[in-house]
Amino acid sequence: MPEYTLAAVVSVVLVMVLELAWLRTGMFRRPAFWITAVIVFGFQIPVDGWLTKLSAPIVLYAESHASGIRAPWDIPVEDFAFGFSLMTLTLLLWDRLGSRERDQDHGRARGRASTAPPPPASAGRAPGRER
């Protein structure tokens, strides 16, 4: 298997294993994830297509390092695999780190509430009416 193709496949497998075996965020079950993927690929296709078009390429690929399979506008299919991996890894880490930060914030808020000193006994009395 060519190097670029192998790296693309490995990147997808690693990100999938990371989610399904370790992070377990449930990302793949969320419609928002798949909508995000459509948006990302919607922008990737015209940009990547323009960069890799065979009629006037800006980015060249050594054909011996890739599968040679190209889909819309001469985009190497490996680019979609890398795009999926990068997008998914970013969202997984964002989700995981954000949930950890939220958990810590909630823990601090609970900690402050439980360790705060009680209000003084005169807090509810009107000024000047102390006994």
Side-chain angles (χ1 to χ4, degrees):
M1 182 180 288
E3 291 93 354
Y4 191 61
T5 306
L6 179 63
V9 170
V10 168
S11 74
V12 171
V13 170
L14 287 176
V15 168
M16 300 284 286
V17 167
L18 179 69
E19 164 58 5
L20 298 174
W22 187 48
L23 295 176
R24 297 182 183 174
T25 67
M27 182 80 61
F28 298 137
R29 292 188 303 267
R30 298 181 200 163
F33 171 77
W34 297 106
I35 292 168
T36 301
V38 168
I39 293 168
V40 168
F41 289 130
F43 283 98
Q44 180 182 353
I45 289 170
V47 172
D48 206 354
W50 180 70
L51 291 171
T52 61
K53 63 185 176 223
L54 293 175
S55 60
I58 295 170
V59 177
L60 298 171
Y61 293 88
E63 292 301 322
S64 61
H65 296 284
S67 68
I69 301 169
R70 292 176 174 253
W73 297 314
D74 302 325
I75 302 170
V77 294
E78 292 87 353
D79 285 7
F80 291 106
F82 279 122
F84 175 83
S85 296
L86 290 170
M87 176 199 69
T88 303
L89 181 60
T90 300
L91 293 173
L92 287 171
L93 294 176
W94 183 283
D95 188 67
R96 173 54 67 138
L97 295 174
S99 66
R100 181 179 298 160
E101 192 172 290
R102 283 189 303 272
D103 291 345
Q104 289 174 351
D105 287 345
H106 290 304
R108 274 190 242 121
R110 280 191 299 270
R112 276 195 303 265
S114 64
T115 60
S122 63
R125 297 186 189 144
R129 294 190 152 190
E130 297 181 26
R131 296 182 196 195

